Amino acid sequence: MTSMRDGQFKLNEFVLIDITAKTVDCGKAEDLAPLCVQANIYESVLEPSVRAEFEFYDAKGAGELLIFTNKKIVIDFTTDEDNPKSAIRYEFYIVGEPVRVQSPDDKALIYKVECVTYEAYKSTDIKNAPLVRKKIECEKMVKAYLDILGSQKPLFAEKTRGLHAFNFTVKTPFECIDEIRLEYAMSQEFKGHAFYFFENKHGYVFKSMELLIKEGKENIGDKCFLQSTLTNLDVTGSKWRNILTTKLIQKGNEGIAKLIGAGAGKVKQFNRVTGATTDFQADPRNLEFETLNKGSASTTLKAQVEKAKDGNEGQVKEITFDPSISNIERAEKFNHMPYYMAHFLTVIMQITIYGDSAITVGDVIKCQLPEATGLTKGEKNPINEDSAITTGNYMVTKCRHMLTFNEKAEYAQGLELVKDGIGGVPQTHTV
């Protein structure tokens, strides 16, 4: 293990276990630690693969070390040497040509390299994935397409209901998996409101939003963060850790909702056999939501209700079906989807914290933030009231690992979080 720290372990430092360059066929490993200036690793529940950007500083003419043709970059680091499960390890394959620029002081060359993990690198080479000719469970289909890619990573999949078959043509394996994800979310057998397929530090995840919330609440542990107006607040010995910066986006993003699978506010079902058209319009009071914070109120859900009433025919989606072969509940699922999405994406917040290699996308964390008014609880308790808007449980939907490779080996994380409403009680599995 190569330790990049000296003295006491600090919050913004990490231990570098490995950063090497190897040929794709696993040739000799070359140590990149002396040349790497920084690394940014991007995880997202909206993307099937983890991406990375590396920056190298070459002041001595490293030569072959910075020839990236047919090479992969291995990075392995942790913030807890006593817990092997906390480490983050990725193998990245370089895509495109490295960008080479002169340093501002003209004393070195700077190389910027973009990378993806192996499966995304391989998926682009397979343009016509094999057909699924028999009906099987969706999670088995996802596993089969990962096997086509030669993936050795574990798949954490929710057990789906029913049997399904798809005919894919001229699609990559990742495109096929995305079709499976969307189609199952719309199926009669699935009673939730969204399915995800993404990669994180543990492997690949194919699960519903409901299960991610349920499991995330059960595993919050010490993933608790606060932002205090007291500059001398000492949280040493507590499970609470400091939030360095925050940016609040009050209402959820429609674009994100549509990407996950939410459709129009109005849906019409057209029966191909009879020619009959049926209108669907959901009453959100009759829908059941898996919540991060019990009793929370969703402002974007109310906005979605108003949008469905505005008479904008441009927001109507027509679902054509043949009752002899198609799912009759498909139109109803399309109608329910935006209400579920609007509920879940009530609050989106971006925070920066000291890096914690135990945190990855799909996790649930707890955040405690003060009101922005500046009013405190009183002279004897000079702490701001917690904000009902921002305090509570959040799901981590995006995570940017920001590592700088200097003498202190600094590590920070930028997290994008979503919360399903304002107010309410942050839940764990015991609530």
Side-chain angles (χ1 to χ4, degrees):
M1 177 182 295
T2 303
S3 176
M4 295 189 69
R5 62 182 173 88
D6 53 355
Q8 184 179 359
F9 182 73
K10 297 181 180 178
L11 285 175
N12 64 332
E13 295 184 356
F14 66 99
V15 175
L16 182 67
I17 300 171
D18 183 21
I19 179 167
T20 55
K22 301 178 181 179
T23 56
V24 172
D25 58 2
C26 296
K28 180 182 177 182
E30 303 286 354
D31 184 16
L32 294 177
L35 301 172
C36 194
V37 178
Q38 64 179 9
N40 289 282
I41 300 171
Y42 302 91
E43 302 170 342
S44 172
V45 298
L46 303 179
E47 297 182 13
S49 172
V50 176
R51 300 180 295 109
E53 296 173 349
F54 291 89
E55 189 170 310
F56 300 97
Y57 187 89
D58 179 18
K60 299 180 180 179
E64 291 185 359
L65 282 181
L66 295 176
I67 298 175
F68 296 104
T69 304
N70 201 38
K71 286 187 178 180
K72 62 182 179 182
I73 297 175
V74 180
I75 186 167
D76 192 348
F77 61 95
T78 184
T79 54
D80 185 357
E81 292 180 273
D82 297 327
N83 180 12
K85 292 183 178 180
S86 73
I88 295 176
R89 186 182 191 278
Y90 285 117
E91 291 189 3
F92 289 107
Y93 287 69
I94 298 165
V95 292
E97 291 294 326
V99 177
R100 187 177 68 174
V101 297
Q102 195 73 30
S103 64
D105 57 7
D106 291 328
K107 293 183 178 180
L109 290 175
I110 296 174
Y111 294 83
K112 297 181 180 180
V113 180
E114 294 187 3
C115 309
V116 295
T117 49
Y118 170 77
E119 291 78 6
Y121 176 81
K122 185 70 175 177
S123 183
T124 58
D125 293 335
I126 303 174
K127 297 296 185 183
N128 197 3
L131 301 180
V132 180
R133 299 188 182 278
K134 66 177 183 178
K135 291 186 175 183
I136 62 174
E137 295 89 341
C138 286
E139 69 272 21
K140 291 183 179 178
M141 295 169 65
V142 171
K143 180 65 168 61
Y145 282 115
L146 289 174
D147 288 343
I148 289 171
L149 292 170
S151 177
Q152 300 297 314
K153 297 171 185 172
L155 171 64
F156 301 92
E158 179 174 342
K159 184 173 178 54
T160 60
R161 298 179 179 179
L163 304 178
H164 304 263
F166 299 88
N167 291 320
F168 298 124
T169 56
V170 197
K171 290 183 181 293
T172 68
F174 272 172
E175 289 172 334
C176 294
I177 291 173
D178 195 55
E179 290 286 336
I180 294 168
R181 176 187 70 84
L182 287 172
E183 288 297 320
Y184 183 69
M186 295 296 108
S187 70
Q188 177 180 346
E189 293 83 5
F190 178 55
K191 302 304 180 184
H193 53 283
F195 234 82
Y196 290 90
F197 174 72
F198 60 92
E199 182 183 12
N200 64 16
K201 59 172 281 187
H202 303 296
Y204 282 99
V205 178
F206 182 69
K207 293 181 180 179
S208 65
M209 184 182 295
E210 286 85 358
L211 186 59
L212 287 173
I213 291 174
K214 180 178 181 296
E215 292 179 342
K217 289 186 297 186
E218 293 174 353
N219 295 290
I220 288 180
D222 66 349
K223 295 191 282 284
C224 302
F225 300 87
L226 63 83
Q227 187 173 51
S228 173
T229 55
L230 300 180
T231 57
N232 62 345
L233 180 67
D234 183 10
V235 294
T236 302
S238 167
K239 69 177 181 179
W240 293 90
R241 288 169 282 175
N242 286 321
I243 297 173
L244 305 178
T245 66
T246 62
K247 179 182 179 182
L248 174 65
I249 304 171
Q250 179 63 43
K251 293 184 177 180
N253 187 308
E254 271 188 60
I256 294 176
K258 289 181 179 178
L259 183 61
I260 295 173
K266 293 183 179 180
V267 175
K268 290 183 178 181
Q269 178 176 270
F270 176 71
N271 189 318
R272 190 189 300 274
V273 175
T274 65
T277 300
T278 305
D279 291 335
F280 285 85
Q281 186 164 329
D283 183 347
R285 292 172 298 182
N286 297 328
L287 300 177
E288 295 183 1
F289 302 99
E290 180 75 35
T291 62
L292 286 158
N293 303 280
K294 185 177 181 180
S296 61
S298 173
T299 56
T300 47
L301 183 59
K302 295 177 183 178
Q304 180 65 41
V305 173
E306 294 302 316
K307 183 182 296 183
K309 295 178 180 178
D310 67 7
N312 182 359
E313 292 299 313
Q315 297 296 316
V316 176
K317 183 175 182 65
E318 184 175 279
I319 304 297
T320 300
F321 84 109
D322 183 333
S324 64
I325 60 174
S326 300
N327 172 20
I328 197 169
E329 296 185 12
R330 187 178 175 85
E332 185 177 25
K333 295 296 291 287
F334 264 100
N335 180 232
H336 289 175
M337 188 69 73
Y339 293 95
Y340 283 116
M341 292 299 98
H343 172 79
F344 185 66
L345 297 172
T346 291
V347 178
I348 299 177
M349 185 168 64
Q350 297 169 341
I351 68 172
T352 304
I353 60 174
Y354 291 123
D356 182 350
S357 60
I359 294 176
T360 189
V361 290
D363 287 350
V364 172
I365 68 173
K366 184 179 295 184
C367 293
Q368 182 175 317
L369 296 104
E371 290 281 5
T373 58
L375 300 177
T376 65
K377 296 181 179 180
E379 293 181 3
K380 295 183 179 180
N381 193 4
I383 300 176
N384 288 32
E385 294 281 357
D386 291 342
S387 169
I389 295 176
T390 54
T391 291
N393 289 340
Y394 286 84
M395 180 181 287
V396 180
T397 55
K398 292 183 181 180
C399 177
R400 177 185 177 188
H401 304 274
M402 300 174 285
L403 304 102
T404 56
F405 298 85
N406 52 32
E407 293 179 355
K408 295 182 179 179
E410 294 175 336
Y411 173 32
Q413 283 173 308
L415 306 180
E416 183 169 285
L417 314 172
V418 296
K419 183 161 80 82
D420 57 354
I422 295 172
V425 179
Q427 293 175 273
T428 66
H429 67 295
T430 57
V431 175

